[in-house]
Amino acid sequence: MPDPAATLASVRVDRPADGVVVLHVSGELDTSSADELARPLKEHLVEGVRGVVVDLGGVRFLGSAGLESLVVGNQRASALGVSLVLVATSRATLRPIQATGLDSVFTVVESLDDALGRF
């Protein structure tokens, strides 16, 4: 029987440039599915990577566990000197980021092109 959490959120990895990784996230990031984001963040936030973009365009729900995965990823990125940029435009993603004050912690942009232009 498939794990129901695996169907709640998914991440597709793209490498548009040398040293740049884009994580395209879709679905719902809550307690049961936040690891779907945490694992690839940990895997791709490594030395030698210049930047990681987390594209939240396909996210329908961003709960506290999803925010925690992003915060931990941001801390790891800072420790490694890697730029972490979030692409968030929908109310489902922007509202939780703004309501928790994390918009002052993360670099949040409106499009993937804006994010990639930073590298």
Side-chain angles (χ1 to χ4, degrees):
M1 184 169 176
D3 180 2
T7 61
L8 287 177
S10 64
V11 176
R12 182 175 55 84
V13 179
D14 187 21
R15 291 179 178 80
D18 190 38
V20 178
V21 177
V22 178
L23 304 177
H24 300 277
V25 187
S26 60
E28 299 180 5
L29 288 171
D30 60 15
T31 304
S32 62
S33 62
D35 276 352
E36 296 300 317
L37 174 59
R39 279 193 306 270
L41 271 173
K42 184 175 182 182
E43 179 182 333
H44 295 287
L45 284 169
V46 294
E47 287 186 30
V49 171
R50 292 184 295 136
V52 173
V53 176
V54 180
D55 179 2
L56 299 170
V59 173
R60 295 183 310 270
F61 175 80
L62 179 58
S64 59
L67 289 170
E68 180 182 10
S69 294
L70 291 170
V71 168
V72 169
N74 194 55
Q75 291 168 340
R76 182 176 177 90
S78 293
L80 292 168
V82 176
S83 295
L84 179 71
V85 179
L86 306 183
V87 178
T89 57
S90 72
R91 181 171 170 77
T93 55
L94 282 173
R95 183 71 182 121
I97 291 169
Q98 293 168 341
T100 55
L102 290 172
D103 55 332
S104 65
V105 174
F106 296 126
T107 300
V108 181
V109 298
E110 294 184 1
S111 74
L112 187 54
D113 285 342
D114 288 347
L116 294 174
R118 296 173 172 265
F119 304 111

